[in-house]
């Protein structure tokens, strides 16, 4: 059989080529370079402080790492796959630049605690960036909600008309969801904010290091208390991925609504050309591609979470090369969420509600039937189940006549329940229904305005 060079030809050199390809991580873990250099600077400063290396060596290491950082930042650093990972690439270049002092940097540490440190630092930085983006999406939603606190729209259950609500109240529901995502990220950050540096390969070190010094220098609350756990733990990464997946799921739900709302059969909102695309064959089309991609990218974030949990589930203590598989999923999930948060913020600021169409739809499907039942309980003292039955008969009569509830003659209603009065019409319009929902968290426009104001103050 002839060899297809597209499939496996690069491994024709034999086992060494295969091993290098599967073992090397520099193709993706170079993204940890800032964290790796920060950890090395803190480690070198500590080694000099406790007398393990000389002050002159620490200065040489610091200057050498600073120069390497400048080269990487400028895109002028040659990554060598033969050196396997970010740690060895930087250490080799440092030793080449400053000689013997570079070889002393790795005293009292291992690549095991080094990579654990780098990933924690990277995730912490990612959380800080995502937190600011989340707040921006929330601000966009709150601004829209405040402007549309009284804009009627249908509320749905089972995607069927249920009760009237307002567009502002609907958007604030997503603000609440995203606020919990913020809280989860903050909790994740707090839990991961312990330093593994100094755990070395797995059992600590015999050198008189000061782990509290390096933890403080790197912004951690404290060193991790168990060296085995410090090397082996990746639950912080899984928790971060869950936070990303949950947030992405919330964005996906909003994106799905945008897809539905922009459909001409609904016609609830309009997106500009900035967040839609046309069709290659149908000139009339305006496709909500940004929303569809926010929705579609959710699968890859969920996949990263499941992938890492699967890697971890069979690992005894402490370090295994399997754990190299944590990074690509973390990087991809964070980068995907970064993009979808930006797209969502843009869509929210771009979309224009069709207030007339929303108000029309708010009254469809006899959406104020619950208000009628509540009126019967409140005014006529009917048990709710009896009121529910009476309301059902009135709705059936309105359906027979092709009339909305607030357009049904009082005489027709009185034929079913004689004690009904003209006052019932005070609750039968969608606007009246919405205004009546004054319970805490309800959809009354006054509630929505107050809650939007609270969020504006909290978000700044």
């Amino acid at each position: 059989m002839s060899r297809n060079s597209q499939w496996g030809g690069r491994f024709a050199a034999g086992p060494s080529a295969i091993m290098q390809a599967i073992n090397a991580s520099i193709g993706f873990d170079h993204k940890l370079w800032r964290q790796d250099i920060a950890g090395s600077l803190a480690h070198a400063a500590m080694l000099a402080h406790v007398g393990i290396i000389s002050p002159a060596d620490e200065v040489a290491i610091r200057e050498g790492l600073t120069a390497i950082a400048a080269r990487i930042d400028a895109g002028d650093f040659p990554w060598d796959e033969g050196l396997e990972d970010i740690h060895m690439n930087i250490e080799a270049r440092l030793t080449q630049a400053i000689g013997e002092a570079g070889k002393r940097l790795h005293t009292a540490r291992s690549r095991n605690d080094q990579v654990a440190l780098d990933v924690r630092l990277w995730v912490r930085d990612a959380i800080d960036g995502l937190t600011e983006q989340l707040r921006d999406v929330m601000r966009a939603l709150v601004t829209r909600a405040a402007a549309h606190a009284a804009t009627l729209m249908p509320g749905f259950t089972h995607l069927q008309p249920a009760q009237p609500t307002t567009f502002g109240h609907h958007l604030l529901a997503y603000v609440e969801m995203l606020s919990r995502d913020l809280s989860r990220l903050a909790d994740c950050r707090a839990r991961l904010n312990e330093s593994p540096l100094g755990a070395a390969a797995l059992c600590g070190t015999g050198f008189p290091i000061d782990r509290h010094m390096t933890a403080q220098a790197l912004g951690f609350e404290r060193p991790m208390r168990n060296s085995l756990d410090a090397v082996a733990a990746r639950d912080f990464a899984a928790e971060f991925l869950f936070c990303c997946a949950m947030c992405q799921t919330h964005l996906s739900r909003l994106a799905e609504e945008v897809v539905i709302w922009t459909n001409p059969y609904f016609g609830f909102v309009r997106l500009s050309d900035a967040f839609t695309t046309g069709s290659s064959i149908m000139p009339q089309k305006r496709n909500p591609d940004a929303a569809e991609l926010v929705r579609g990218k959710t699968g890859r974030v969920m996949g990263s979470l499941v992938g890492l949990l699967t890697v971890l589930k069979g690992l005894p203590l402490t370090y295994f090369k399997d754990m190299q598989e944590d990074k690509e999923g973390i990087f991809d999930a964070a980068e995907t969420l970064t993009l979808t948060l930006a797209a969502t913020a843009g869509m929210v600021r771009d979309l224009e509600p069709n207030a007339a169409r929303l108000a029309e739809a708010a009254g469809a499907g006899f959406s104020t039937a619950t208000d009628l039942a509540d009126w019967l309980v409140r005014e006529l003292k009917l048990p709710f189940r009896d009121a529910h039955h009476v309301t059902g008969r009135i709705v059936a009569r309105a359906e027979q006549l092709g009339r909305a509830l607030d357009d049904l003659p009082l005489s027709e209603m009185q034929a079913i329940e004689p004690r009904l009065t003209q006052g019932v019409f005070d609750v039968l319009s969608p606007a009246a229904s919405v205004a009546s929902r004054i319970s805490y968290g309800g959809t009354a426009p006054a509630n929505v305005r107050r809650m939007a104001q609270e969020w504006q103050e909290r978000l700044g």
Side-chain angles (χ1 to χ4, degrees):
M1 188 188 320
S2 64
R3 178 187 297 273
N4 183 336
S5 61
Q6 185 176 355
W7 308 113
R10 62 177 294 209
F11 302 127
S16 61
I18 297 171
M19 186 58 197
Q20 179 170 306
I22 198 171
N23 192 50
S25 59
I26 191 60
F28 50 86
D29 71 12
H30 66 270
K31 293 182 181 181
L32 297 171
W33 69 266
R34 287 184 175 86
Q35 292 75 26
D36 197 73
I37 287 177
S40 290
L41 287 170
H43 186 66
M46 181 274 295
L47 292 177
H49 177 75
V50 299
I52 295 174
I53 65 173
S54 70
D57 282 345
E58 190 272 332
V59 170
I61 290 169
R62 179 165 19 98
E63 291 177 351
L65 289 173
T66 301
I68 288 171
R71 288 192 65 184
I72 297 174
D73 201 30
D76 183 34
F77 188 88
W79 301 111
D80 185 349
E81 191 175 271
L83 291 172
E84 203 175 301
D85 57 31
I86 180 66
H87 324 298
M88 295 306 295
N89 266 262
I90 289 177
E91 183 178 326
R93 192 65 56 185
L94 177 68
T95 300
Q96 184 182 67
I98 68 172
E100 289 293 317
K103 297 178 182 179
R104 294 190 172 94
L105 173 60
H106 207 54
T107 308
R109 75 174 181 184
S110 162
R111 280 191 293 176
N112 292 358
D113 63 337
Q114 191 177 358
V115 69
L117 171 70
D118 290 1
V119 176
R120 279 179 188 265
L121 290 172
W122 194 93
V123 170
R124 194 176 69 182
D125 290 343
I127 288 173
D128 292 343
L130 291 169
T131 293
E132 286 308 306
Q133 278 198 282
L134 260 170
R135 291 171 65 85
D136 184 56
V137 175
M138 292 168 69
R139 289 188 197 99
L141 288 164
V142 169
T143 299
R144 273 284 192 247
H148 293 281
T151 300
L152 295 173
M153 74 170 289
F156 296 95
T157 61
H158 306 277
L159 204 57
Q160 303 297 314
Q163 294 177 344
T165 184
T166 74
F167 195 68
H169 194 55
H170 197 105
L171 294 183
L172 285 182
Y174 285 101
V175 175
E176 296 291 336
M177 294 181 203
L178 296 180
S179 74
R180 294 191 293 275
D181 292 324
L182 271 182
S183 178
R184 274 184 283 270
L185 283 170
D187 289 346
C188 177
R189 192 189 194 284
R191 266 186 291 278
L192 71 80
N193 204 32
E194 297 180 337
S195 174
L197 187 59
L202 72 160
C203 289
T205 178
F207 289 98
I209 62 173
D210 186 342
R211 294 189 63 210
H212 289 84
M213 179 181 174
T214 51
Q216 183 177 25
L218 293 166
F220 289 108
E221 288 294 320
R222 62 190 69 84
M224 295 182 73
R225 297 191 301 174
N226 184 287
S227 63
L228 302 178
D229 179 50
V231 169
R234 292 297 186 274
D235 55 316
F236 71 91
E239 183 178 3
F240 171 67
L241 286 173
F242 172 77
C243 293
C244 291
M246 192 70 255
C247 182
Q248 188 68 46
T249 299
H250 287 151
L251 299 182
S252 182
R253 295 184 74 175
L254 177 57
E256 170 69 5
E257 301 223 66
V258 171
V259 171
I260 293 170
W261 293 344
T262 55
N263 185 304
Y265 290 107
F266 278 78
F268 287 178
V269 303
R270 186 180 186 276
L271 283 173
S272 76
D273 291 346
F275 291 93
T276 58
T277 63
S279 164
S280 64
I281 191 171
M282 295 169 284
Q284 84 283 8
K285 293 290 292 301
R286 183 189 292 271
N287 300 320
D289 283 3
E292 291 172 17
L293 287 166
V294 169
R295 183 180 61 185
K297 287 180 181 294
T298 303
R300 65 192 297 160
V301 180
M302 291 178 175
S304 293
L305 170 61
V306 175
L308 179 57
L309 290 173
T310 304
V311 167
L312 294 176
K313 73 174 182 62
L315 296 184
L317 298 181
T318 55
Y319 183 81
F320 293 85
K321 199 70 172 184
D322 311 50
M323 294 161 75
Q324 185 168 289
E325 295 300 310
D326 60 355
K327 296 168 196 62
E328 288 180 284
I330 293 169
F331 297 156
D332 188 75
E335 290 163 7
T336 298
L337 184 55
T338 294
L339 179 58
T340 56
L341 283 167
T344 301
M347 283 190 293
V348 170
R349 292 187 170 103
D350 184 73
L351 62 83
E352 286 297 332
N354 183 340
R357 174 67 189 121
L358 285 165
E360 177 189 7
F366 308 103
S367 63
T368 58
T370 305
D371 299 275
L372 172 56
D374 288 347
W375 188 92
L376 292 169
V377 171
R378 192 167 53 248
E379 302 297 328
L380 303 186
K381 310 304 180 186
L382 266 65
F384 182 79
R385 285 301 170 202
D386 292 344
H388 186 283
H389 177 72
V390 169
T391 299
R393 292 179 60 196
I394 292 173
V395 167
R397 182 58 179 158
E399 194 169 26
Q400 287 174 354
L401 297 175
R403 310 285 284 270
L405 282 177
D406 61 340
D407 190 40
L408 187 66
L410 179 61
S411 59
E412 292 288 345
M413 289 190 269
Q414 288 174 331
I416 296 169
E417 173 48 71
R419 291 176 291 169
L420 277 160
T421 68
Q422 191 69 31
V424 75
F425 289 98
D426 291 341
V427 301
L428 291 185
S429 71
S433 170
V434 164
S436 73
R437 306 288 177 176
I438 58 173
S439 59
Y440 183 80
T443 196
N447 281 5
V448 177
R449 292 188 187 96
R450 183 167 54 251
M451 192 58 68
Q453 178 64 33
E454 287 182 16
W455 274 116
Q456 285 172 333
E457 291 171 0
R458 288 172 64 179
L459 293 168

